């Protein structure tokens, strides 16, 4: 917020708060529901100022229980102090709840009147205004009960996951840990940290979402957090179903200033993406994992160690357990053995680990590994990118489901270009005469193309090539994976080359670290498919070996 005005209401004498969003815009053009373009933001639409401030108000109401009990105390305004009112702004449509009032330079009298109706201007109210400000700063920030009730109602309308075997063990362990902490009281209870580890498709996210729904129904203070923008935005779009619930899905870096034990449970999904070694804060070492542990009575970390794909990601079982032990808390360690992605094929996950030398066992031909079993997972390799793309289309057409192509980050990722007045993606991924664009960049939307966060789930995603940042955490039926020159085979072993990588987040890592990260990257890309995968390497020698082992 640019400002929060704290005062006393002139009629009720209650505390009164006005959230203020200031805009230096000189013009504003409506281009869609809640979206505008300005002279300062011509490249892409931005939120309507009224919608922007309304969301800030909702955040305050939903995560500050004292305001949730009395929402009348909070109002919001957007003030375009350099602009002249334009009827096309449709200001009348925004004046519905007092949370998004809009004013311009030539409506200052209206603005003054609005503020005077909410904030007592009498000097005698100064002490009350100061008290209101102190109360705001001291307010406890945690999911408000009415938000949890809304979440419970929404989740009840959705089909729940059926948890099996170790998945149910993980669920019951979290519920049991919370019950034990509650029974002793927060001052006496020893914090319990649950660490759930498992491979791709072992049900980690299913556990997290089931726990989120169950705890919300019990009005427990619970939030879900990840380190992935794409994953979080997809959960907001597909699970929340209500924009108020979007804020129940957070990011790992949003808990540094939260009070200790302000949550009952924090569900850290994709916890292998927790970042950063500890920094010295106020004379002691403190890192992101410390913050996540401290904020909840029962922190839950769900992770896959083979999905660490960037430098600085430290979310391993060993690292988290070491920190928990140093803090003197109890660890509940649960390992998921099941496989519910990749057709439920444990053998495929084993085949990938052996092929990429992430396992001590040597690579094996796929048909030999599954001989005599009823494993139906489809593994293939193509002679060209054209053949790989055709394979995906054929499988989706004949056997149903959705398909996506991904590749190692070995090509530039260009900004969209303007062609005949329309923004278009650039065909950056070029192999011989074949070329395709990467999916849209997060900060540069393109008409008719899904955002990078929704590339894996939006039907329009086929035809674009996804990278690790678009694919990790998601699944689709048919996966096509293109190996670049960052990982090739020479003399029967993999050789990594950071110089071939265009990923600035990874290619500056030390050779040994880069080698581990790039192998993990391809493992993630190879294990996105529910029904099958087709591989291709632009390096001819590597592709020949891939075709041998994919038979």
């Amino acid at each position: 917020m640019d400002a929060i005005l704290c005062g006393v209401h002139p009629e009720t004498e209650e505390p009164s708060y006005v959230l203020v969003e200031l805009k230096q815009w000189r013009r504003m053009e409506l281009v869609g529901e809640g979206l505008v373009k300005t002279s300062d933001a011509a490249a892409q639409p931005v939120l309507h100022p009224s919608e922007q401030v309304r969301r800030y108000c909702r955040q305050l109401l939903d995560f500050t229980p004292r305001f949730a009990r009395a929402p009348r105390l909070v109002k919001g305004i957007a003030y375009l102090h350099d602009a002249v009112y334009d009827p096309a702004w449709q200001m009348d449509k925004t004046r519905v709840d007092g949370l998004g009032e809009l004013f311009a330079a030539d409506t200052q009298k209206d603005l003054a009147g609005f503020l005077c109706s909410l904030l007592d201007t009498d000097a005698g109210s100064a002490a009350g205004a100061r008290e209101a400000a102190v109360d705001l700063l001291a307010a406890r920030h945690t999911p408000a009960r009415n938000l949890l009730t809304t979440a419970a109602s929404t989740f009840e309308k959705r089909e729940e996951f059926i948890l099996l075997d170790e998945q149910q063990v993980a669920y019951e362990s979290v519920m049991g840990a919370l019950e034990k902490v509650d029974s002793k009281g927060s001052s006496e209870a020893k914090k319990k940290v649950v660490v759930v580890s498992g491979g791709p498709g072992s049900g980690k996210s299913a556990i997290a979402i089931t726990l989120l729904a169950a705890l919300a129904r019990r009005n427990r203070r619970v939030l879900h957090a990840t380190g992935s923008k794409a994953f979080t935005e997809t959960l907001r779009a597909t699970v929340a179903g209500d924009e108020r619930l979007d804020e129940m899905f957070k990011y790992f870096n949003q808990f540094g200033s939260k009070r200790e034990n302000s949550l009952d449970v924090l569900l850290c999904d994709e916890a292998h993406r927790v970042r950063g070694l500890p920094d010295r804060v106020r004379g002691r070492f403190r890192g992101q994992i410390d913050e996540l542990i401290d904020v909840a009575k029962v922190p839950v970390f769900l992770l896959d160690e083979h999905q660490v794909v960037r430098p600085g990601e430290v979310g391993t079982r060993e690292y988290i357990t070491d920190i928990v032990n140093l803090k003197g808390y109890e660890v509940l360690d649960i390992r998921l053995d099941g496989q519910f992605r990749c057709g439920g094929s444990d053998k495929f996950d084993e085949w990938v680990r052996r092929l990429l030398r992430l396992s001590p066992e040597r690579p094996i031909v796929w048909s030999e590994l599954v001989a005599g079993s009823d494993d139906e997972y489809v593994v293939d390799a193509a002679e060209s990118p054209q053949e790989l793309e055709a394979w995906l289309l054929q499988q989706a057409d004949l056997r149903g489901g959705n398909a996506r192509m991904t590749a190692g980050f070995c090509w530039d990722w260009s900004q969209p270009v303007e062609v005949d007045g329309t923004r278009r993606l650039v065909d950056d991924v070029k192999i011989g005469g074949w070329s395709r664009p990467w999916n849209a960049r997060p900060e540069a939307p393109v008409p008719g193309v899904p955002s990078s966060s929704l590339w894996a789930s939006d039907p329009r995603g086929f035809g674009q090539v996804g990278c690790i940042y678009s694919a990790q955490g998601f699944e689709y039926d048919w996966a096509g994976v293109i190996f670049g020159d960052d990982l090739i085979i020479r003399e029967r072993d993999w050789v990594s080359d950071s110089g071939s990588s265009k990923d600035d987040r990874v290619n500056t890592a030390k050779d040994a670290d880069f080698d581990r990260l790039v192998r993990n990257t391809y493992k993630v890309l190879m294990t996105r498919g529910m029904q099958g995968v087709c591989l291709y390497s632009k390096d001819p020698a590597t592709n020949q070996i891939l075709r041998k082992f994919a038979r």
Side-chain angles (χ1 to χ4, degrees), residues 326-345:
L326 284 171
K327 295 170 81 70
Y329 301 141
E330 182 180 344
V331 179
L332 302 180
D333 187 8
I334 299 166
R335 307 189 191 194
L336 305 176
D337 295 326
Q339 169 61 265
F340 298 93
R341 188 180 287 148
C342 305
S345 176

Side-chain angles (χ1 to χ4, degrees), residues 520-532:
N520 283 350
T521 293
Y522 281 108
K523 182 181 188 294
V524 171
L525 298 181
M526 292 170 68
T527 53
R528 300 303 91 194
M530 293 286 288
Q531 298 192 55

